[in-house]
Amino acid sequence: RATLCACHPECRIAHPIVKCTYCRTEFQQESKTNTICKKCAQNVKLYGTPKPCQYCNIIAAFIGNKCQRCTNSEKKYGPPHSCEQCKQQCAFDRKDDRKKVDGKLLCWLCTLSYKRVLQKTKEQCKHLSSSSRASLQEKEQYSRLSSGSHYNSQKTLSTSSIQNEIPKKKAKFDAISANGDSFSPDLALDSPGTDHFVIIAQLKEEVATLKKMLHQKDQMILEKEKKITELKADLQYQESQMRAKMNQMEKTHKEVMEQLQAKNRELLKQAAALSKGKKPEKSGAITSP
């Protein structure tokens, strides 16, 4: 089978980059039904369905109560600390400020989210700078065109052509700004635009964090519902066992009572027979003298 190429557009469409349902790492999806990475698929075959990690709450604890990532980090860096973003006890201090994200101690998921937002911000700023350079080049073309037409003998024709060209370009910039695909040259050169991108990036980061917390709450609710279902099943089992035990005890008690009643009747018969046997002996003893 041919090797998948993540850089080719057709390959990216047919096999997009998705996140694993369990460990949340990115991998290239080979089919639409494939939602977990190869490593997790192999672990599912070996150890079964994973449980949520007690530190990061990622459903990747195949062995014990911790995922492999948290287990390795705990062995290497010690117990986890509170993440400054999601406030969960799942950030490991590497004792190196250079490895922190903007000086923040973040967990693995928050680090990926933060870096992803920064990368998108850089790409947007790069697109913004390229659009500003293009607009400056167009301005230079306008200036060269106007200066060349100034020394031309046909001043009227060149002036009218420039006047006809400028509204077209202006209409083009207005249409682009209305569609939201790019910014005008004046706005592109202003520094507040970059600040807007930073604010948007921060908002996106907060939304991603809230989505993560919502997912974690959903996982906690699912776990609690699963626990409630298990407790209900255990209660029903205990009730059935108790009912069967009571029925058995009732049956045993009934059998013992029947045995005692039969024995009592037998004893009553024996007592009656003994009393009848003693009466003739007494009457015979009286008539003999």
Side-chain angles (χ1 to χ4, degrees):
R1 189 170 57 183
T3 306
L4 298 177
C5 177
C7 60
H8 199 277
E10 295 180 358
C11 194
R12 284 200 303 267
I13 295 172
H15 306 285
I17 302 296
V18 296
K19 287 185 178 181
C20 177
T21 306
Y22 291 148
C23 66
R24 307 305 297 163
T25 55
E26 294 183 348
F27 72 101
Q28 196 165 11
Q29 192 178 33
E30 297 182 8
S31 63
K32 292 183 178 180
T33 57
N34 184 19
T35 58
I36 60 176
C37 62
K38 293 181 179 179
K39 186 175 180 181
C40 287
Q42 185 178 2
N43 287 332
V44 168
K45 292 180 181 178
L46 293 175
Y47 308 108
T49 305
K51 296 180 294 184
C53 176
Q54 70 177 18
Y55 289 156
C56 62
N57 281 329
I58 298 176
I59 309 174
F62 290 95
I63 304 173
N65 297 324
K66 305 172 191 174
C67 65
Q68 193 63 37
R69 187 181 297 108
C70 288
T71 301
N72 295 336
S73 297
E74 187 177 19
K75 289 179 180 178
K76 192 173 182 180
Y77 306 112
H81 300 274
S82 177
C83 175
E84 295 183 21
Q85 187 65 35
C86 65
K87 308 304 179 184
Q88 288 194 106
Q89 204 75 10
C90 56
F92 294 91
D93 190 3
R94 300 185 179 183
K95 309 298 182 182
D96 189 356
D97 293 336
R98 293 176 299 177
K99 294 184 179 180
K100 293 182 179 180
V101 183
D102 288 345
K104 295 181 180 179
L105 182 61
L106 303 180
C107 64
W108 180 73
L109 277 180
C110 290
T111 301
L112 288 183
S113 176
Y114 197 86
K115 289 181 178 179
R116 195 180 298 113
V117 171
L118 289 179
Q119 182 64 28
K120 287 183 180 179
T121 305
K122 288 180 181 179
E123 291 177 358
Q124 290 171 351
C125 291
K126 185 178 180 181
H127 176 70
L128 182 63
S129 61
S130 63
S131 62
S132 64
R133 284 197 299 270
S135 62
L136 288 173
Q137 289 176 359
E138 289 183 356
K139 278 188 175 182
E140 291 176 358
Q141 288 178 0
Y142 294 152
S143 61
R144 285 197 299 269
L145 183 61
S146 60
S147 62
S149 61
H150 180 71
Y151 297 100
N152 197 342
S153 59
Q154 298 178 351
K155 293 182 180 180
T156 305
L157 291 175
S158 61
T159 304
S160 61
S161 63
I162 293 172
Q163 290 177 351
N164 291 331
E165 188 69 21
I166 290 175
K168 291 181 182 180
K169 295 293 182 179
K170 185 177 181 181
K172 180 179 179 182
F173 281 118
D174 292 339
I176 293 175
S177 300
N179 293 330
D181 294 333
S182 180
F183 293 91
S184 62
D186 295 332
L187 290 176
L189 294 174
D190 291 336
S191 58
T194 307
D195 295 334
H196 291 325
F197 277 120
V198 174
I199 294 172
I200 291 171
Q202 292 175 352
L203 292 175
K204 286 182 178 179
E205 180 186 356
E206 292 178 0
V207 170
T209 303
L210 291 174
K211 285 182 178 180
K212 177 187 174 183
M213 294 176 65
L214 181 62
H215 175 71
Q216 291 170 354
K217 295 291 184 183
D218 290 340
Q219 293 297 327
M220 291 174 63
I221 291 172
L222 289 175
E223 286 296 319
K224 288 182 179 179
E225 288 179 352
K226 182 180 177 182
K227 187 69 176 177
I228 291 171
T229 305
E230 291 176 354
L231 291 174
K232 285 182 178 179
D234 188 34
L235 181 62
Q236 290 179 356
Y237 176 77
Q238 290 180 1
E239 286 179 354
S240 63
Q241 290 292 320
M242 185 65 70
R243 197 177 295 110
K245 188 176 181 180
M246 290 177 65
N247 291 335
Q248 184 65 31
M249 291 175 65
E250 185 178 357
K251 183 179 178 182
T252 305
H253 178 71
K254 188 176 181 180
E255 291 175 356
V256 171
M257 288 296 294
E258 288 177 355
Q259 289 176 1
L260 291 175
Q261 288 176 358
K263 190 174 182 180
N264 190 24
R265 286 193 296 268
E266 185 66 27
L267 291 173
L268 288 174
K269 286 180 182 180
Q270 290 178 6
L274 289 173
S275 62
K276 286 180 182 180
K278 287 181 179 180
K279 283 181 181 181
E281 292 178 0
K282 288 181 180 179
S283 61
I286 295 171
T287 56
S288 58

